[in-house]
C-alpha cells in the first residue's frame, strides 16, 4: 500500500471519529438540557467549563440512581396537604414561623419520598434530577427565608411581603413533590 493511501485512510478515520465525537457531544448536551431544563443553564453558568458542568449533572444523575424514590401514598399525600393548609393559615398571624415550618414540611415530604435531606445545596441538587423546573422555586424561597429569618430565625425586618413570596416558592415545590392538583389547570403536575 502506498503512503498516500495510508495517509488518506488515516485522515478519513480521524474525520469519522471527529464527526462521531461531535454528534455524541451534541446528543449529550441535548439530553442533559432536556432532563435538567433551566437547571442546566444555571449549572453551566456557575461552572468553569461545559465539561465540568456536564460532569456535575451526570454525578447528580448517578447519585439519584442510588435513591429509592417513591410516590406518596394517598393517605400520606392527604396528611401532608392538611399540614400545608395549616401552615398557610398560620402565615397570617406568624409569617416567619410559617415559612420555617413550610421548609421543614418540604424536607419531611422529601424524606418520606426517599430523598436524603442533608444540607440545602445537596437537597436542591438531588431534587434537580427529578424536578428541574421547580427546584429554582426552592432556591428562591430558601434565599428569602435565610435573608429574612437569619440562620436562627431572627433576621432583620422579617418583611411580610418577602416572606409571602418565599411561601409561594415553597408551595410550587410542595405541589410538585406531593403531586397536588394545581389551582389553574386542574391537572396533576408531572
Amino acid at each position: 500500500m502506498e503512503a498516500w493511501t495510508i495517509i488518506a485512510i488515516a485522515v478519513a478515520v480521524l474525520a469519522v471519529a471527529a464527526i462521531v465525537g461531535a454528534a455524541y457531544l451534541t446528543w449529550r448536551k441535548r439530553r442533559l438540557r432536556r432532563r435538567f431544563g433551566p437547571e442546566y443553564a444555571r449549572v453551566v453558568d456557575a461552572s468553569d467549563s461545559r465539561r465540568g458542568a456536564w460532569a456535575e449533572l451526570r454525578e447528580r444523575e448517578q447519585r439519584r440512581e442510588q435513591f429509592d424514590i417513591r410516590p406518596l401514598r394517598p393517605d400520606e399525600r392527604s396528611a401532608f396537604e392538611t399540614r400545608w393548609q395549616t401552615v398557610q393559615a398560620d402565615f397570617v398571624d406568624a409569617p416567619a414561623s410559617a415559612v420555617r415550618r413550610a421548609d421543614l414540611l418540604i424536607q419531611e415530604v422529601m424524606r418520606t419520598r426517599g430523598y436524603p435531606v442533608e444540607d440545602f445545596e445537596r437537597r436542591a441538587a438531588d431534587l434537580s434530577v427529578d424536578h428541574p423546573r421547580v427546584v429554582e422555586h426552592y432556591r428562591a424561597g430558601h434565599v428569602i427565608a435565610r435573608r429574612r429569618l437569619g440562620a436562627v430565625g431572627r433576621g432583620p425586618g422579617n418583611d411580610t411581603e418577602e416572606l409571602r413570596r418565599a411561601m409561594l416558592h415553597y408551595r410550587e415545590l410542595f405541589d410538585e413533590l406531593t403531586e397536588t392538583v394545581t389551582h389553574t389547570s386542574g391537572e396533576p403536575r408531572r
Side-chain angles (χ1 to χ4, degrees):
M1 199 179 281
E2 293 185 35
W4 68 271
T5 305
I6 294 172
I7 292 172
I9 290 171
V11 168
V13 166
L14 288 174
V16 168
I19 291 169
V20 168
Y24 171 73
L25 290 176
T26 300
W27 170 83
R28 187 174 178 190
K29 177 181 176 181
R30 281 189 196 145
R31 186 186 72 74
L32 288 172
R33 189 175 268 166
R34 192 171 35 252
R35 172 125 197 215
F36 286 94
E39 183 72 0
Y40 174 87
R42 194 191 74 72
V43 172
V44 168
D45 289 346
S47 181
D48 293 337
S49 70
R50 187 166 300 217
R51 286 190 191 276
W54 291 351
E56 179 181 333
L57 294 172
R58 183 63 191 132
E59 181 183 310
R60 290 181 188 189
E61 288 176 321
Q62 290 170 342
R63 179 176 157 82
R64 165 53 183 90
E65 289 169 7
Q66 304 303 310
F67 307 154
D68 184 21
I69 305 299
R70 67 172 182 85
L72 295 173
R73 295 186 321 259
D75 62 312
E76 292 171 325
R77 179 178 297 109
S78 178
F80 282 128
E81 288 172 356
T82 299
R83 289 174 59 196
W84 182 268
Q85 290 168 358
T86 300
V87 168
Q88 272 189 240
D90 292 347
F91 182 85
V92 174
D93 294 324
S97 174
V99 169
R100 276 193 298 281
R101 289 177 35 227
D103 184 51
L104 292 172
L105 184 56
I106 285 171
Q107 290 179 53
E108 190 174 341
V109 172
M110 289 176 63
R111 188 179 303 107
T112 301
R113 293 210 45 204
Y115 289 99
V117 290
E118 299 162 5
D119 66 277
F120 173 79
E121 285 304 322
R122 177 56 69 188
R123 284 193 308 270
D126 292 343
L127 283 172
S128 73
V129 179
D130 295 324
H131 306 281
R133 295 188 192 338
V134 296
V135 74
E136 193 55 37
H137 283 287
Y138 192 31
R139 283 194 178 92
H142 182 75
V143 165
I144 293 169
R146 295 270 308 164
R147 181 175 57 243
R148 285 294 163 205
L149 304 178
V152 295
R154 290 186 297 269
N158 290 345
D159 181 86
T160 303
E161 177 56 27
E162 217 173 9
L163 292 172
R164 185 188 69 78
R165 285 196 309 271
M167 284 294 288
L168 292 173
H169 287 302
Y170 283 164
R171 178 63 194 239
E172 287 291 323
L173 178 61
F174 179 84
D175 285 351
E176 178 91 5
L177 288 173
T178 60
E179 299 174 323
T180 300
V181 175
T182 65
H183 295 85
T184 54
S185 69
E187 295 296 316
R189 294 178 188 239
R190 300 283 176 221

